[in-house]
Amino acid sequence: RLTCCGYTGEDGFEISMKAEDAIPLCSLLLKSTAATVQPCGLGARDSLRLEAGLCLYGNDLDEDINPVEGTLVWTLGPPGSRRRKEQDFLGAKAFLTPEGKPVKMTKKRVGFLGHEKPARAGTIIFDGNGDKEIGMVTSGTVSPILNNTSIAMGYVSTEFAKEGTEVTFDIRGSKIESKVAKMPFVPSKYWRGPE
């Protein structure tokens, strides 16, 4: 089974098959002369999905994060849509008003750029002065596409979520400055058919 999807912010394909067919198919793809095919691991997938601002369940999302906190309200449809009006799914009343508008939350998922060392999951985030704890990094890496710039995403108190807000990471006992940044860090290049 072949699906045109993927979890990297790039056009991609996912292939599902019987286990015994995996090695022969992989060998065939790697021998291709029609296109360059190279194997990659989870590290490559993880840096690409973070560059695209995509969440990883268990890191950036879990059962305690709602769509408003996770900046995923777009998954509920536009204002006035059936899902927002009917709210016929679990948890809707906790993060949508009766009119279907997002409820103000105390934390929000944001991106970070400009720190000189990589901030990994679990890194504590402080305000720009380094005094007040305001959140935690959920994913972080060095971006090959952005010339090895350190990028991260995490959750901060809503009042610190504005793009350009200065923050401080505690990275192995060192205070490292960063800024809240817009995601995706790298624009997606999804193919879209004619409109």
Side-chain angles (χ1 to χ4, degrees):
R1 178 176 160 178
L2 180 69
T3 58
C4 184
C5 60
Y7 194 53
T8 62
E10 299 284 336
D11 275 336
F13 296 91
E14 291 192 6
I15 305 170
S16 300
M17 70 199 80
K18 294 178 183 172
E20 62 265 19
D21 296 332
I23 291 175
L25 178 60
C26 184
S27 297
L28 184 67
L29 289 172
L30 291 171
K31 291 177 187 171
S32 172
T33 56
T36 302
V37 177
Q38 296 179 331
C40 69
L42 288 177
R45 189 272 340 247
D46 202 45
S47 65
L48 286 166
R49 71 108 189 144
L50 185 51
E51 289 166 340
L54 299 173
C55 300
L56 178 62
Y57 190 83
N59 281 42
D60 312 302
L61 296 174
D62 61 29
E63 60 276 359
D64 296 322
I65 301 293
N66 67 52
V68 176
E69 294 168 330
T71 62
L72 298 169
V73 174
W74 60 270
T75 63
L76 304 176
S81 64
R82 181 197 61 79
R83 291 194 78 208
R84 288 209 196 183
K85 284 181 191 173
E86 294 178 10
Q87 300 182 21
D88 57 351
F89 53 92
L90 290 176
K93 304 282 186 272
F95 56 83
L96 290 176
T97 67
E99 298 79 32
K101 295 179 181 175
V103 172
K104 298 275 187 213
M105 294 288 148
T106 59
K107 65 181 177 180
K108 183 177 180 183
R109 182 177 64 92
V110 296
F112 303 98
L113 270 175
H115 41 287
E116 61 190 42
K117 294 181 182 179
R120 305 293 185 191
T123 298
I124 303 299
I125 306 167
F126 293 87
D127 64 8
N129 296 324
D131 299 327
K132 179 181 178 184
E133 186 175 324
I134 61 168
M136 186 175 5
V137 171
T138 54
S139 289
T141 193
V142 174
S143 167
I145 292 175
L146 298 175
N147 298 317
N148 296 322
T149 299
S150 293
I151 60 174
M153 77 167 71
Y155 288 84
V156 295
S157 300
T158 307
E159 65 266 28
F160 295 94
K162 185 176 180 186
E163 185 179 351
T165 300
E166 294 181 357
V167 298
T168 305
F169 295 145
D170 182 348
I171 300 177
R172 293 176 292 286
S174 297
K175 299 290 186 177
I176 305 297
E177 296 176 358
S178 189
K179 286 187 179 179
V180 173
K182 184 178 180 183
M183 291 188 289
F185 300 107
V186 175
S188 62
K189 299 174 189 163
Y190 300 121
W191 180 83
R192 304 213 190 277
E195 305 242 341

